[in-house]
Each structure stands twice: as C-alpha cells, then as structure tokens.
Amino acid sequence: MKFVDPKTDIAFKKIFGNQAHKGILIEFLNEVLELEYPIADIEISNTYQPPKLEGLKETSLDVKAKDTAKREFLIEMQVEKEAWFCQRAMYYSSKSYSQQLSVGHKYHLLKPVIFLGILDFETFDHTSAFSRHLILNSETGQHDLKDLEFNFIELPKFTKTESQLETVADKWIYFIKQAFKLDHIPSDTTPALRLAYEIASQHKWTPE
C-alpha cells in the first residue's frame, strides 16, 4: 500500500477540504486545537477571498470552514519556506474577520477566526512542534481579546516514530508528515483517520 503526500496542495484539499468527508476535518481540528468548545458540525467554505475594494490583494486558502457556532477556521499547508508566513497568517485572519460585517451590522455579531498553519519548515525559536499564539495583556497576561487566534504545526520539530504516538493529535500530525513514506495504515487509528489514509491511498488516484 502506498499513499500520496498529504502535504501537496491537491492531496491536502482532497483529504481535509471535502464536505462529503467533513468528519476528517472535524476530528483533526478538535484533536489538534483542543478547543474549549469542540466543533460539533462544520461547513467547508469557498477558499477564495476576493478583495472588497479595487486594488487590494486577493487571497486563497487551502481550507476554510465555519462551525455551528459561526467560528471561522482557516487552514493553510505550507511546504516551501516563507519568511513572511506569520504576516500572511495575520493578513488572512484579519481579512476574514473584517469581511464578516456588512453596512448596518453591529460589532457584537463578529465571530472568532482561528488560523492553523501547518509548516514543513521551522519558523519559531524555543517552541514545540505545536504552538498557539494569542493576543494577551502585556501587564497581566489576561486573554481578553479572544477573537483572533493563531496556531502553528512545525512538522520538522515533530520527531515521534509510529511506536511513540500517544495522542490522536500525534497520529494526525504523523499522518500529514509521514504518510507518503508508509506502506500500511498504522494500528489504533480512529475511523476518521483511517478514512484519511484510505483517501490518500494511491490506488484510488488516477495519474491526472
């Protein structure tokens, strides 16, 4: 058994951006992000974010989704090292946040935007493979501004072998990083993760 590389653009979108298999994205986000209020259901959205004003930059995400609480999730898989990826994450998130309101809408209608960047390179010093970045009060450390959240998985920092995988989150990160090197589906996978491996199985893909 051989698998396509989930890190490639078309494979990542086919696995995580398919509304017909939304359970994959739900479990992946719930396990990796450890949300205070887990995702119950999700709708995968159009990833193209056109500018509302002429001359502003167009953006297109790998996966964009909204849960039943109207929280927006932006997921970006980045293989090539990009020096300004953090700025891109903030731009994508602030753009998505600002486009929630139309004329006459009140600010209380704004919903959180949660960004997850999966990087095939290292970008932060002194952090583990997964890091969460919040807007905090520099004096008290209080997390009062909660609507924007930035999460990153740096794949090179994830060095666990198959026998060392402890959590479901570990198994998802291992899948993204190592699936294309494997010849089997690891044991003790969840149904959603097994489906992700089955979608990534090369025998289901045409050359095109």
Side-chain angles (χ1 to χ4, degrees):
M1 181 176 286
K2 294 292 184 182
F3 305 97
V4 297
D5 188 350
K7 297 188 295 296
T8 59
D9 186 66
I10 188 171
F12 189 85
K13 292 177 180 178
K14 188 176 180 69
I15 295 166
F16 293 99
N18 187 338
Q19 185 67 31
H21 302 303
K22 62 183 178 180
I24 289 175
L25 183 62
I26 291 173
E27 180 177 284
F28 173 65
L29 293 177
N30 279 337
E31 295 295 335
V32 170
L33 298 179
E34 296 183 336
L35 299 163
E36 182 179 1
Y37 302 103
I39 300 166
D41 197 6
I42 207 163
E43 180 180 352
I44 297 173
S45 314
N46 185 350
T47 59
Y48 176 57
Q49 293 183 301
K52 289 197 172 182
L53 294 175
E54 185 178 354
L56 294 183
K57 187 175 179 64
E58 297 179 353
T59 55
S60 182
L61 296 151
D62 286 332
V63 178
K64 181 179 181 181
K66 184 181 295 185
D67 74 352
T68 51
K70 305 301 182 183
R71 294 177 296 184
E72 293 188 359
F73 295 86
L74 313 181
I75 303 98
E76 190 72 7
M77 177 71 237
Q78 182 67 24
V79 174
E80 290 188 21
K81 186 165 185 175
E82 183 177 329
W84 308 109
F85 186 82
C86 292
Q87 283 80 355
R88 180 148 68 97
M90 290 186 284
Y91 183 79
Y92 284 0
S93 301
S94 58
K95 184 175 184 181
S96 187
Y97 189 66
S98 66
Q99 290 186 347
Q100 291 180 16
L101 298 185
S102 298
V103 174
H105 285 174
K106 303 298 184 182
Y107 292 110
H108 73 275
L109 296 174
L110 287 165
K111 300 298 181 181
V113 174
I114 300 172
F115 181 90
L116 174 60
I118 306 166
L119 314 179
D120 202 23
F121 54 90
E122 295 186 16
T123 195
F124 300 111
D125 296 327
H126 314 299
T127 64
S128 58
F130 175 82
S131 60
R132 174 175 284 117
H133 303 253
L134 308 173
I135 302 173
L136 303 178
N137 184 311
S138 62
E139 181 178 353
T140 67
Q142 288 292 110
H143 182 208
D144 297 317
L145 304 179
K146 297 183 178 181
D147 277 5
L148 293 179
E149 177 181 315
F150 306 91
N151 302 274
F152 299 90
I153 297 171
E154 298 170 85
L155 294 176
K157 293 180 180 179
F158 186 82
T159 58
K160 290 185 178 183
T161 63
E162 184 177 333
S163 63
Q164 294 173 325
L165 303 177
E166 298 174 336
T167 66
V168 176
D170 284 346
K171 294 174 183 179
W172 276 108
I173 298 173
Y174 184 81
F175 163 73
I176 293 173
K177 182 176 181 178
Q178 302 287 7
F180 75 103
K181 297 180 181 179
L182 302 179
D183 59 6
H184 65 283
I185 297 176
S187 59
D188 298 323
T189 60
T190 65
L193 183 52
R194 175 169 288 277
L195 178 58
Y197 273 103
E198 290 173 355
I199 294 172
S201 178
Q202 284 188 357
H203 79 272
K204 294 186 177 181
W205 292 64
T206 65
E208 290 77 15

